[in-house]
Amino acid sequence: MRIGCVVMAAGDARRFGENKLAMELGGKTLIRRALEVVPAEEFAAVAVVTQYPEVEDLARRFGFLPVRNPHPDWGISHTIRLGLEALAGCEAVLFQVSDQPFLRRETVAALLALFRRHPDHLAALGHGGVRGNPCVFPAQYFPELLALEEDRGGSSVIRRHPDRLLLLEAPAEELEDADTPQTLRAMAARQRLV
């Protein structure tokens, strides 16, 4: 089964106040951490959708396909569309955000293994029954993803099909987003304690 991966790295990070993908945690930028946890050998192709030239360069160094998003202000739906168009021919696509610094490569691979056992379902990581990211969508949901507008993302598609969603339990810290500078500082402090 040809499964693609879209790394979503195009947002303006308005809540963060600056390009958070360039922020470091443990000596690595958030975008490097995001690309390192992609189990590339599991995917037919990996597209990194971004507005930042430096992220495009990093994607190339990883052997991934950089996809320029010239209109991040059009919302996450545009990033989803660009990613799906870049991965035409895939039978499913995993969407991964770029601000979960504690996400592990093994966890992403386990999510793909779950999906491969149930390829007609949606699959996502979760903790305590609460869905998080990444999420895998089989091709039957691509038309709904392509119909999204503005800042509506895959969550709105998943909410329409709750009976088709499988959750893979993951540790809470792996699903945590670095949405604000305060959150990132707390993550850094926690990492130093480990």
Side-chain angles (χ1 to χ4, degrees):
M1 185 178 196
R2 286 178 54 82
I3 303 176
C5 175
V6 173
V7 179
M8 298 187 291
D12 283 324
R14 283 186 287 274
R15 275 186 289 178
F16 202 90
E18 57 186 306
N19 177 12
K20 66 179 168 183
L21 300 182
M23 298 294 104
E24 289 194 358
L25 180 67
K28 292 182 183 177
T29 62
L30 291 186
I31 186 59
R32 176 172 283 280
R33 284 176 168 270
L35 298 186
E36 284 180 349
V37 301
V38 173
E41 67 282 357
E42 302 270 358
F43 294 109
V46 178
V48 181
V49 184
T50 187
Q51 63 171 307
Y52 303 107
E54 61 272 25
V55 173
E56 290 183 39
D57 292 343
L58 186 62
R60 285 188 196 93
R61 291 204 292 277
F62 274 81
F64 300 160
L65 174 67
V67 178
R68 173 67 63 94
N69 182 347
H71 298 289
D73 53 309
W74 290 1
I76 195 170
S77 62
H78 190 56
T79 292
I80 290 169
R81 173 179 293 277
L82 290 171
L84 283 176
E85 289 171 350
L87 298 176
C90 285
E91 299 158 86
V93 170
L94 178 143
F95 289 90
Q96 178 183 316
V97 297
S98 299
D99 60 353
Q100 291 176 219
F102 296 139
L103 182 64
R104 294 171 59 242
R105 182 185 182 93
E106 296 81 5
T107 307
V108 180
L111 176 62
L112 287 169
L114 172 66
F115 174 74
R116 284 194 173 98
R117 292 193 300 272
H118 306 278
D120 57 337
H121 281 69
L122 300 155
L125 295 183
H127 182 77
V130 178
R131 183 184 55 78
N133 288 305
C135 301
V136 190
F137 293 80
Q140 69 206 63
Y141 297 101
F142 290 0
E144 289 183 61
L145 290 169
L146 290 168
L148 294 169
E149 296 180 345
E150 297 174 353
D151 231 14
R152 287 189 185 81
S155 293
S156 58
V157 174
I158 292 170
R159 281 194 295 271
R160 289 197 288 269
H161 307 280
D163 56 321
R164 306 306 297 163
L165 176 63
L166 299 174
L167 287 183
L168 178 67
E169 183 72 12
E173 62 267 18
E174 288 196 51
L175 307 184
E176 188 179 1
D177 296 328
D179 275 340
T180 66
Q182 294 82 1
T183 305
L184 187 60
R185 282 196 294 273
M187 287 176 162
R190 225 170 41 233
Q191 190 181 47
R192 284 193 290 275
L193 294 174
V194 174

